[in-house]
Amino acid sequence: TCLVSATLCDVFPHMYSHKIIAALSTLRPIGLDAISSVLFMNRIDTKYVFSIRKLEDLINNLNGKYQVLDICNMRALPYRTIYMDTSEFLFYYQHVRGELERLKIRFRIYESSGTTFLEIKKKTNKNRTIKIRIENNFSTGSFDDNAINFIKEHTYVDSTQVKPVIVNQFTRATLIGLKSNERVTMDYNISFSGTFNEEHVEMPYLAIVELKKEGYSSRSPFNIILKQMGIHPTRFSKYCAGLSILNNSLRKNNLKPGLLLLNKIENEYNKSY
């Protein structure tokens, strides 16, 4: 059921690049109910970080190979994520230290459907991403009994020690392979806000694209097209990047390659004006 109000449908498209919307309109649509087979809650992720200016060309090159998620005639959908962490930023430092096994706890709000999930995202020493989630709401600002039990069952942390630390908003287009068993997410209009202060940072120059598959494969048409465009995989965490920018007190040495990449993309984007 489409829960997007007419007002929301009218407002959000004005936030998006018209060129990206036009490119997405050329793809065959697919409904939310039809993508259950490619949710890939246990998967291999490959990330690509590049200028938003390349996103239109990428989408155009994918025509005939992918279909796009369409909800209420919207193909670029608003998302919001509330990332949780401990007061010592345990999950952040797991990533910064390069630990193979690490954890994230977050609330993901799907603005287009009015649904919120509490998600636990685990990275294993086999480089697999495992995501577990329940429908849950954080509107009260604290965990309810279902959330407390869920965190206790699936993690080693005490839910009383976990609190919201950063909010991430973005626009996402989701593509499904027509012949390849894979899912692609394309994020842009990315911004971060701190829950610990009033700071806010926007990244209009940035696109973050992620290929999600059940296993490793070099035969993905998506990988081939990106390689032809000179776009290569990179290790990157939206959570860690956003938090490190908003909170200067955190150690971030191991994040410097990703932060330098952001600076390079931003500088190239600004020079094009």
Side-chain angles (χ1 to χ4, degrees), residues 77 147 168 266:
L77 302 166
N168 172 218
E266 183 179 15

Side-chain angles (χ1 to χ4, degrees), residues 144-182:
D144 62 19
D145 289 343
N146 288 337
I148 291 170
N149 292 333
F150 179 68
I151 293 171
K152 182 177 180 180
E153 179 181 357
H154 294 289
T155 77
Y156 44 79
V157 298
D158 187 335
S159 61
T160 62
Q161 304 300 313
V162 177
K163 61 182 180 180
V165 294
I166 192 173
V167 178
N168 172 218
Q169 292 181 283
F170 57 95
T171 300
R172 169 169 289 184
T174 299
L175 309 183
I176 309 299
L178 284 169
K179 296 182 179 179
S180 54
N181 191 31
E182 58 191 24

Side-chain angles (χ1 to χ4, degrees), residues 41 80-85 91 104-110 115-121 131-138 142-155 157 159 162-164:
M41 306 300 271
R80 181 160 47 97
T81 304
I82 303 172
Y83 285 102
M84 321 294 287
D85 214 328
F91 309 145
K104 285 191 180 79
I105 299 177
R106 68 192 188 189
F107 282 90
R108 170 64 56 82
I109 298 96
Y110 295 77
T115 307
T116 300
F117 287 95
L118 170 58
E119 300 183 341
I120 293 172
K121 193 174 180 181
K131 190 166 76 170
I132 314 159
R133 68 182 188 179
I134 58 170
E135 192 166 342
N136 197 265
N137 204 315
F138 196 63
S142 60
F143 294 119
D144 62 19
D145 289 343
N146 288 337
I148 291 170
N149 292 333
F150 179 68
I151 293 171
K152 182 177 180 180
E153 179 181 357
H154 294 289
T155 77
V157 298
S159 61
V162 177
K163 61 182 180 180

Side-chain angles (χ1 to χ4, degrees), residues 8-9 12-17 20-22 24-25 55 59 68-71 73-79 112 170-174 186 188-189:
L8 187 61
C9 286
F12 271 101
H14 297 296
M15 298 169 58
Y16 308 144
S17 163
I20 294 173
I21 294 295
L24 290 171
S25 69
L55 194 53
I59 296 169
V68 60
L69 176 64
D70 187 302
I71 299 178
N73 295 319
M74 295 174 64
R75 300 183 177 192
L77 302 166
Y79 286 67
S112 57
F170 57 95
T171 300
R172 169 169 289 184
T174 299
M186 300 179 167
Y188 64 103
N189 282 344

Side-chain angles (χ1 to χ4, degrees), residues 5 9 12 27 29-30 32 37 46 71 74 84 92 96 105 129 167 187 213 217 219 246 266 268:
S5 68
C9 286
F12 271 101
L27 303 181
I30 186 173
L32 188 61
S37 63
T46 308
I71 299 178
M74 295 174 64
M84 321 294 287
Y92 171 85
V96 170
I105 299 177
T129 298
V167 178
D187 297 348
K213 297 174 63 69
S217 173
R219 297 185 178 182
L246 289 175
E266 183 179 15
E268 291 174 352

